[in-house]
Amino acid sequence: MIDKESPIPIYFQIQEYIRKMVESGEWEVGDAIPSERILSEQFSVSRMTIRQAVQGLVDEGLLTRKRGSGTFISSQKVEQPLEGRTSFTKLMEDRGMKPSSEIIAFQRRKAEGTEIKALKLSEDALVLLIERIRYGDDIPIALEKIVTPWEISKDITKEELNQSFYQFLERKKGLKLGNGTQSIEAVAADERVAQLLKINNGSPVLSIERVTTLASGVPFEYVHSQYAGSRFKFYI
């Protein structure tokens, strides 16, 4: 199955074999791949070579390791176009996935430094803080923190948040949404984020900050989200 005389590295040939097994459907999402011992015997190579091949596919997101259980075929990453304004709920629905949310914080409080600047608020302004885990087919995709002016959001309920915040603003409040600015950087998941997203501590996540305005140009949300890097990607 591999050519040891080929100039193509052995670990890369093994990666291509695993990739073909997934693409052909012989190995399906959620399946455990054979152990390092079995693969090393199958290919007549060292475990170190197998480990290198598997780690590359873990970094790529095709495989995922579960401590004490083994290495499994990952679900396909959710893709989001890096343009326009997209509701997470609509993003999931467009990909045939069931969107859901788990609210872990929902409180009124005074705006803080970064929020005051981003939302152009007075120092004594009140905001609604919403923190929730966003799921696609019950798989945690992102941890999302939304801060929005209290005057805009005071009527929203937790039940409505289980749908779409944007739908609430457009349908119930009659507001027309405008544009936004968004920054993205790669960071390592801290202990809390890793626990909530059910990934390993230190795993790569996409840290995203966004400020979105109404059509009038007034900022209405400041969002800080952390997306599991193994489950989400942007394209442009």
Side-chain angles (χ1 to χ4, degrees), residues 139-179:
I139 299 171
I141 303 293
L143 175 64
E144 178 183 75
K145 183 176 80 171
I146 301 172
V147 177
T148 181
W150 179 247
E151 287 305 312
I152 289 177
S153 59
K154 60 185 178 182
D155 299 329
I156 196 169
T157 66
K158 287 185 177 181
E159 290 70 26
E160 287 169 318
L161 268 180
N162 284 328
Q163 302 301 314
S164 169
F165 180 49
Y166 288 173
Q167 287 180 10
F168 162 79
L169 293 173
E170 291 177 313
R171 296 178 183 178
K172 185 172 179 179
K173 301 289 288 187
L175 298 173
K176 187 174 181 181
L177 307 188
N179 300 313

Side-chain angles (χ1 to χ4, degrees), residues 5-170:
E5 302 300 321
S6 171
I8 299 174
I10 292 175
Y11 80 88
F12 186 80
Q13 294 183 55
I14 295 171
Q15 287 180 342
E16 289 303 292
Y17 167 80
I18 295 174
R19 205 186 309 276
K20 287 177 182 177
M21 294 292 283
V22 174
E23 290 174 352
S24 68
E26 191 161 344
W27 291 357
E28 299 181 344
V29 171
D31 287 349
I33 69 169
S35 67
E36 286 183 3
R37 179 183 63 79
I38 292 174
L39 288 174
S40 65
E41 292 175 356
Q42 178 179 341
F43 292 105
S44 298
V45 297
S46 69
R47 287 197 182 186
M48 184 176 295
T49 300
I50 296 298
R51 196 169 297 128
Q52 183 181 11
V54 169
Q55 184 60 51
L57 294 177
V58 169
D59 293 341
E60 187 178 310
L62 182 66
L63 302 178
T64 183
R65 283 197 176 99
K66 296 182 181 179
R67 188 172 299 174
S69 300
T71 304
F72 297 80
I73 308 299
S74 300
S75 58
Q76 185 177 3
K77 290 186 180 183
V78 176
E79 297 182 349
Q80 179 173 343
L82 195 55
E83 58 182 353
R85 172 178 45 78
T86 306
S87 158
F88 183 90
T89 299
K90 186 176 186 302
L91 185 67
M92 294 297 110
E93 292 173 343
D94 287 348
R95 280 150 183 78
M97 302 177 73
K98 179 185 176 183
S100 60
S101 300
E102 178 186 354
I103 297 173
I104 55 179
F106 187 83
Q107 64 182 92
R108 183 181 70 168
R109 63 162 171 78
K110 286 187 65 174
E112 298 176 351
T114 303
E115 302 157 5
I116 292 172
K117 183 178 179 180
L119 297 173
K120 299 180 180 179
L121 300 172
S122 62
E123 291 189 0
D124 59 348
L126 294 176
V127 294
L128 176 65
L129 166 67
I130 303 161
E131 192 172 24
R132 55 187 179 172
I133 303 171
R134 310 304 304 270
Y135 295 87
D137 286 345
D138 298 323
I139 299 171
I141 303 293
L143 175 64
E144 178 183 75
K145 183 176 80 171
I146 301 172
V147 177
T148 181
W150 179 247
E151 287 305 312
I152 289 177
S153 59
K154 60 185 178 182
D155 299 329
I156 196 169
T157 66
K158 287 185 177 181
E159 290 70 26
E160 287 169 318
L161 268 180
N162 284 328
Q163 302 301 314
S164 169
F165 180 49
Y166 288 173
Q167 287 180 10
F168 162 79
L169 293 173
E170 291 177 313

